[in-house]
Amino acid sequence: MNADLAHIDTWLFDLDNTLYPAESGFMGDVERRMTDFVMKVAGLPRDEAFALQKTYLAEHGLTLGGLMKHHGVAPADFHALFHDLPLDVLAHDAGLLAALERLPGRRLIFTNADEIHAVRVLDHLKLDHLFDEVFHIHSFGFAPKPDPVGFARMIAAHDMDPATTAFFEDSERNLKPAFDLGMTTVLVGAHARASTAPFVHHRTHKLAPFLAGARLKEAA
């Protein structure tokens, strides 16, 4: 059945692996560079550096949090690793563009990446003109998803009403604080259908057909 989103007027989207499919492999390129950096900073062989990277991700919401706390890494140095990544694996999706265009109200990006990365990806996907603002890791003071503090800062910054906000994410755990706040939560990706999390309202493999088929608020 098509999702009933007629109560939504603020559309909040994660960026990576949400506005493009995880199957593109792009985040694999990001992860490889991240592991290389952890190897260098921590002086570890690759397998141990990868394990440490995942530990920091689990404990701090993102690898950068652990690198900042335990190794004194400057955020700018870390984010610069990804600013020249080739984007050719990310394909423009005309269907997604059309589906996003029909959404009434505000469209926002909520990402743990930095602004430069977000702008590069949105521009490459030809979706940049559809979003009012990018709320990135610097915007919410390095309190990354799923930290409720980051959500609170975003809501305050944009005067959002969670009851009329839908949040689209590929990471299940990042939907929990949104659900707790009263947002409508949508899990996106090949893994979504298998989710049994009670804090996920809707699940879809592909974002474009889900949005295209959703029931929306009628124009005034």
Side-chain angles (χ1 to χ4, degrees):
M1 294 181 63
N2 294 343
D4 184 355
L5 301 178
H7 62 295
I8 301 299
D9 59 20
T10 299
W11 306 85
L12 187 62
F13 292 88
D14 172 51
L15 175 65
D16 292 305
N17 286 351
T18 297
L19 289 184
Y20 60 82
E23 294 86 345
S24 71
F26 178 69
M27 287 305 292
D29 295 335
V30 170
E31 190 167 79
R32 281 186 284 275
R33 288 203 181 185
M34 202 179 299
T35 303
D36 289 342
F37 186 75
V38 175
M39 285 176 63
K40 179 180 177 181
V41 169
L44 295 172
R46 188 169 194 83
D47 58 340
E48 294 181 26
F50 181 78
L52 183 63
Q53 173 186 329
K54 294 304 181 183
T55 297
Y56 286 163
L57 176 63
E59 292 179 349
H60 301 279
L62 73 173
T63 300
L64 175 59
L67 292 173
M68 291 169 64
K69 180 176 180 179
H70 300 291
H71 305 276
V73 169
D77 293 339
F78 178 81
H79 289 306
L81 297 170
F82 315 111
H83 292 167
D84 65 346
L85 271 171
L87 301 175
D88 51 292
V89 298
L90 301 180
H92 171 62
D93 183 343
L96 178 58
L97 187 149
L100 289 168
E101 281 182 330
R102 72 183 288 262
L103 301 179
R106 296 181 296 173
R107 309 178 200 95
L108 305 169
I109 297 293
F110 186 23
T111 176
N112 282 348
D114 76 331
E115 184 176 24
I116 294 174
H117 171 81
V119 169
R120 285 187 76 226
V121 171
L122 288 172
D123 181 67
H124 181 80
L125 294 174
K126 300 177 183 174
L127 300 176
D128 52 309
H129 65 290
L130 295 177
F131 292 93
D132 296 273
E133 193 163 342
V134 174
F135 204 71
H136 51 83
I137 189 65
H138 292 271
S139 304
F140 44 88
F142 296 92
K145 297 175 293 184
D147 190 332
V149 172
F151 280 83
R153 290 172 177 168
M154 178 191 60
I155 289 170
H158 296 290
D159 192 26
M160 295 167 60
D161 178 1
T164 59
T165 298
F167 183 35
F168 299 79
E169 253 280 2
D170 71 293
S171 173
E172 185 180 85
R173 71 172 186 165
N174 288 347
L175 291 174
K176 178 62 164 60
F179 176 89
D180 291 342
L181 288 163
M183 295 183 188
T184 297
T185 56
V186 185
L187 185 61
V188 180
H191 59 289
R193 295 292 186 187
S195 170
T196 58
F199 51 83
V200 176
H201 291 111
H202 304 285
R203 299 162 178 82
T204 182
H205 183 180
K206 302 290 186 181
L207 183 57
F210 176 85
L211 292 175
R215 179 169 171 259
L216 306 179
K217 180 181 295 185
E218 295 182 5

